[in-house]
Amino acid sequence: MATTREHTAVLVEDKKMPPWYLKDLPRYLAGFAVLTVIYMGLRIYQGAFAVSTGLDSTEPVFEIYWMRLFYIELVLDVLIASGFWGYLWFSRDKNLDTLEPKEEIRRYFTLTMWISIYTFAVYWAGSYFAEQDNSWHQVAIRDTPFTANHIIEFYFNFPLYIILGGCAWLYARTRLPLYAKGISLPLTLAVFGPFMILVSVGFNEWGHTFWFREEFFAAPIHWGFVIGVWFALGVGGILLQGTTRMIELLDEIEDAP
Amino acid sequence: MSANLSTQTFKPYTGEKARISRAYDYLILVLALFLFIGSFHLHFALTVGDWDFWVDWKDRQWWPLVTPLMGITFPAAVQAVLWGKFRLPLGATLCVAALSIGTWIARIFAYHYWNYFPINMVLPSTMLPSALVLDAILMLSNSLTITAIFGGSMFALLFYPANWPIFAMFHVPVEAGNGQLTLADLFGFQYIRTGMPEYLRIIERGTLRTYGQIATPLSAFCSALLCTLMYTLWWYIGKWFATTRYLSNI
């Protein structure tokens, strides 16, 4: 069969495109890139200004460099949450009964990408910036709940992973038939449990303010955070639900080379 | 819908279906990596925490007791799913490798580069040999009971010998301020920690230290006993969290 130049170009173009089940791969990778830039940017900001302006909360310069950042974060938290959650809710699929198996498979891939982005945010909040909290509070005299690391960890990182976890939950609930018919217990545990880590900030700050100024990390004052993060193990159940359904769906589609 | 995949038989996928299956595996791999770095590290930092952060907390009594005891939790829970449902004998190694990645990144960029603690002062301990043995025992025995008893014990008993080559040099005696102390102690006194003063340091308390060099094996065997129980408990916690139930409302 003769192939025209235009035809060849289209074929080459198709080769570069991700397959149908990975349609959201570019957005997924872009999500990783954006989050990496944000988190590294915040860490560079801390490195540049924490020692020079973040050690004494009574200094006017603290208000400029740190409390302003705190207020900006609060606004961003509200904007990001309402933007993402609003979009996912208002663009929901109202005809899930007629969903084709191929489209459902694609959506399972996209759900897994949402959960993956969520766990990436959990990494920065639960691993890097959490341990950094201990490090910073060894060199700074803690004279405010809004320390140079708390402002980023508690009021940006924690809300952001909660927002992204909520996105995964909403995506499943609004676009996948099984999750729309019933509420997935493991997905709910994996999203709402770590949400309780944010709530534990209240107990943490109360304790550190009134009776425990030191930063003894393994102390019971921090165990509210620990119990919250155990619920991330619910991801095992999500994978079992997803894998079982994917097997059923793969049986429903035609074999292709 | 049943999620007991191990009782079903499958013919291998070919063509596009094989590629779909493999792409899904890769996505889950990325997801699992960040999940376990984030969640296991937070659990570990807030339960073992200071014994792992600071070289002068790595004593003969509490460090070999607390670290395996809290470190066997997530590996047991993840093994319950990865082995029980997917026949993947790597749950413990995955968790511990993820933890190592998270702790090393934090110690270098959060402690050393931001706040100038010497990296030798904040070296993380390793549980990789313990995790490898735990996975191997589960794979070979396919038994919760045998893994809990022998795997759990080995997880604890291997901890101190695995870390000794890394940390032995900080336990040599030095003389400072007319007193004898370890090099690790000296680190602690030289680099002031405002949030973790000396009176909070929990090392070598009580009468156990009077047994001299026997203190460490005693702690390790105590940890081994507790790890067998902790392993079983967390196996069931992992199973419970890996539920496939759907609810009508929350």
Side-chain angles (χ1 to χ4, degrees):
Chain A
M1 188 177 73
T3 306
T4 63
R5 189 182 293 269
E6 288 77 15
H7 233 113
T8 313
V10 169
L11 286 175
V12 171
E13 189 77 11
D14 282 349
K15 203 80 178 163
K16 283 180 187 168
M17 294 293 288
W20 57 268
Y21 47 89
L22 288 173
K23 189 179 146 197
D24 287 319
L25 184 66
R27 269 185 272 191
Y28 170 61
L29 297 176
F32 270 113
V34 168
L35 287 181
T36 304
V37 168
I38 290 172
Y39 290 120
M40 286 194 170
L42 288 169
R43 172 61 183 81
I44 290 167
Y45 185 88
Q46 288 178 315
F49 301 114
V51 171
S52 58
T53 66
L55 287 170
D56 185 348
S57 69
T58 61
E59 292 279 340
V61 74
F62 188 91
E63 183 72 24
I64 295 168
Y65 281 86
W66 298 99
M67 293 314 289
R68 269 188 199 170
L69 177 64
F70 170 65
Y71 302 132
I72 291 168
E73 285 174 356
L74 294 187
V75 174
L76 282 175
D77 293 338
V78 174
L79 288 177
I80 296 170
S82 46
F84 274 100
W85 291 354
Y87 170 76
L88 285 167
W89 179 251
F90 288 112
S91 63
R92 66 189 181 277
D93 188 344
K94 294 173 183 168
N95 299 304
L96 284 175
D97 291 340
T98 58
L99 195 64
E100 292 291 322
K102 272 193 164 184
E103 177 59 13
E104 195 175 337
I105 289 173
R106 189 193 68 73
R107 290 185 188 185
Y108 268 100
F109 271 88
T110 305
L111 172 63
T112 312
M113 290 175 195
W114 269 116
I115 299 170
S116 185
I117 289 285
Y118 167 52
T119 63
F120 188 54
V122 167
Y123 157 67
W124 285 99
S127 176
Y128 183 74
F129 282 95
E131 256 213 28
Q132 190 170 261
D133 218 46
N134 180 62
S135 171
W136 179 245
H137 294 153
Q138 305 303 336
V139 296
I141 303 288
R142 191 191 284 216
D143 62 348
T144 170
F146 301 103
T147 63
N149 199 64
H150 274 184
I151 283 176
I152 287 166
E153 172 71 342
F154 288 168
Y155 307 103
F156 183 76
N157 294 352
F158 282 8
L160 188 59
Y161 82 67
I162 289 165
I163 291 167
L164 293 170
C167 287
W169 194 89
L170 270 174
Y171 184 89
R173 188 95 177 114
T174 56
R175 283 157 174 82
L176 286 163
L178 280 181
Y179 292 88
K181 282 180 198 147
I183 297 170
S184 163
L185 179 57
L187 181 59
T188 304
L189 291 174
V191 171
F192 283 74
F195 165 74
M196 294 304 291
I197 293 175
L198 179 64
V199 181
S200 295
V201 169
F203 174 63
N204 181 66
E205 291 313 307
W206 174 79
H208 279 305
T209 303
F210 292 109
W211 52 271
F212 194 77
R213 189 62 61 88
E214 295 91 339
E215 189 66 290
F216 175 16
F217 234 50
I221 192 175
H222 291 146
W223 291 351
F225 298 123
V226 178
I227 295 167
V229 86
W230 291 349
F231 285 75
L233 291 168
V235 170
I238 304 170
L239 295 183
L240 283 172
Q241 286 179 331
T243 308
T244 312
R245 182 66 183 149
M246 286 280 280
I247 291 167
E248 291 170 358
L249 290 168
L250 284 174
D251 287 340
E252 289 178 29
I253 64 172
E254 295 291 321
D255 282 317
Chain B
M1 184 171 61
S2 169
N4 191 0
L5 302 177
S6 59
T7 59
Q8 299 177 22
T9 55
F10 304 101
K11 69 174 182 3
Y13 292 124
T14 55
E16 186 183 56
K17 287 185 182 178
R19 289 196 299 278
I20 291 173
S21 172
R22 189 47 49 93
Y24 195 60
D25 288 347
Y26 282 126
L27 273 184
I28 290 172
L29 209 61
V30 176
L31 182 160
L33 178 71
F34 291 118
L35 173 75
F36 293 124
I37 301 178
S39 57
F40 189 27
H41 189 184
L42 186 64
H43 160 94
F44 192 78
L46 296 173
T47 51
V48 179
D50 311 78
W51 283 282
D52 198 63
F53 300 152
W54 312 111
V55 71
D56 61 335
W57 276 66
K58 291 180 169 64
D59 69 335
R60 299 172 297 179
Q61 184 181 358
W62 292 103
W63 178 50
L65 176 70
V66 176
T67 313
L69 186 60
M70 289 295 122
I72 202 168
T73 52
F74 269 58
V78 175
Q79 277 188 340
V81 180
L82 287 190
W83 179 253
K85 302 291 184 187
F86 296 97
R87 279 295 176 267
L88 288 172
L90 47 79
T93 310
L94 171 69
C95 285
V96 169
L99 177 69
S100 292
I101 294 169
T103 48
W104 269 103
I105 293 172
R107 302 300 157 81
I108 290 171
F109 291 99
Y111 288 80
H112 184 59
Y113 282 121
W114 193 16
N115 294 318
Y116 305 109
F117 288 109
I119 196 66
N120 277 345
M121 189 181 178
V122 291
L123 285 176
S125 54
T126 180
M127 291 186 291
L128 271 174
S130 305
L132 286 165
V133 169
L134 192 64
D135 275 334
I137 289 178
L138 178 62
M139 182 180 68
L140 295 171
S141 71
N142 189 24
S143 160
L144 168 60
T145 309
I146 289 174
T147 311
I149 295 171
F150 296 103
S153 298
M154 290 309 292
F155 193 87
L157 294 174
L158 282 172
F159 176 73
Y160 204 84
N163 283 279
W164 187 242
I166 307 171
F167 294 105
M169 58 183 163
F170 303 114
H171 286 238
V172 296
V174 291
E175 194 177 305
N178 291 325
Q180 194 185 55
L181 60 164
T182 68
L183 198 58
D185 292 329
L186 197 58
F187 269 108
F189 298 139
Q190 289 292 321
Y191 293 88
I192 302 298
R193 291 160 293 192
T194 60
M196 213 293 295
E198 177 61 18
Y199 59 80
L200 276 183
R201 187 158 65 121
I202 301 176
I203 59 156
E204 312 237 347
R205 290 186 177 180
T207 55
L208 185 68
R209 60 185 304 192
T210 57
Y211 287 105
Q213 66 270 38
I214 307 300
T216 302
L218 286 174
S219 291
F221 275 96
C222 177
S223 187
L225 167 68
L226 295 175
C227 275
T228 60
L229 305 174
M230 194 66 126
Y231 181 86
T232 314
L233 174 68
W234 273 80
W235 175 280
Y236 284 108
I237 289 177
K239 273 186 85 164
W240 185 82
F241 272 112
T243 173
T244 52
R245 282 178 61 198
Y246 289 91
L247 306 175
S248 53
N249 58 47
I250 51 171

